[in-house]
Amino acid sequence: MEYRTKQPENLSALQRFGRWLRLKQYQIEVTFGVYMFTPTEKFAFWSVVFLLYGLLMIATILYLPQHVLFIIHRAWFYVNGGDSSVASNVVAGNKDALSLAASYATTTMAAAATETAESMSREL
């Protein structure tokens, strides 16, 4: 049993992570009986697991920041009561910084497109 033998301590982080992933796969296969599936059934099982994990990660990345801000606003309200003007200013400042970064990226892309168009017109 590869998983129960003493592992050398001088492995790289990538190798240790790979061994940990194989251990988790082994534990899942033994726990849910996946080791008895046919290759097609295993493919379907791991596809569903990957799909659900991917959806969970996407939802976490998209919605967790908004949820954390909501919780911060509630905590601010419970501690200070009334309007959370300071917290609103902080959030508005973050939105302003985001819009400033987006406008900078847009102007940079527009400048690059203009430069490309000018160089193409010079070549013609």
Side-chain angles (χ1 to χ4, degrees):
M1 281 180 85
E2 176 186 345
Y3 300 105
R4 297 189 53 99
T5 59
K6 179 109 172 97
Q7 303 300 328
E9 300 296 327
N10 57 354
L11 294 175
S12 70
L14 188 59
Q15 289 173 329
R16 286 193 313 259
F17 182 69
R19 286 186 181 271
W20 181 80
L21 281 178
R22 283 195 303 271
L23 175 63
K24 293 303 165 191
Q25 180 185 9
Y26 174 76
Q27 289 173 343
I28 289 172
E29 285 188 356
V30 169
T31 302
F32 296 110
V34 179
Y35 65 94
M36 294 187 298
F37 290 171
T38 64
T40 306
E41 291 170 334
K42 279 187 180 183
F43 177 76
F45 175 81
W46 287 112
S47 296
V48 168
V49 168
F50 179 74
L51 175 71
L52 292 177
Y53 180 75
L55 290 174
L56 179 68
M57 290 285 81
I58 290 171
T60 300
I61 291 168
L62 289 177
Y63 298 113
L64 186 63
Q66 295 171 358
H67 185 65
V68 168
L69 280 177
F70 178 77
I71 290 172
I72 289 172
H73 285 184
R74 287 292 175 157
W76 182 271
F77 178 80
Y78 291 143
V79 170
N80 297 320
D83 185 33
S84 61
S85 60
V86 174
S88 298
N89 291 339
V90 169
V91 172
N94 288 341
K95 288 180 182 174
D96 290 340
L98 182 62
S99 65
L100 179 63
S103 67
Y104 176 73
T106 304
T107 56
T108 304
M109 288 179 4
T114 305
E115 181 181 333
T116 304
E118 288 175 359
S119 67
M120 287 178 63
S121 66
R122 277 187 246 135
E123 289 178 10
L124 294 176

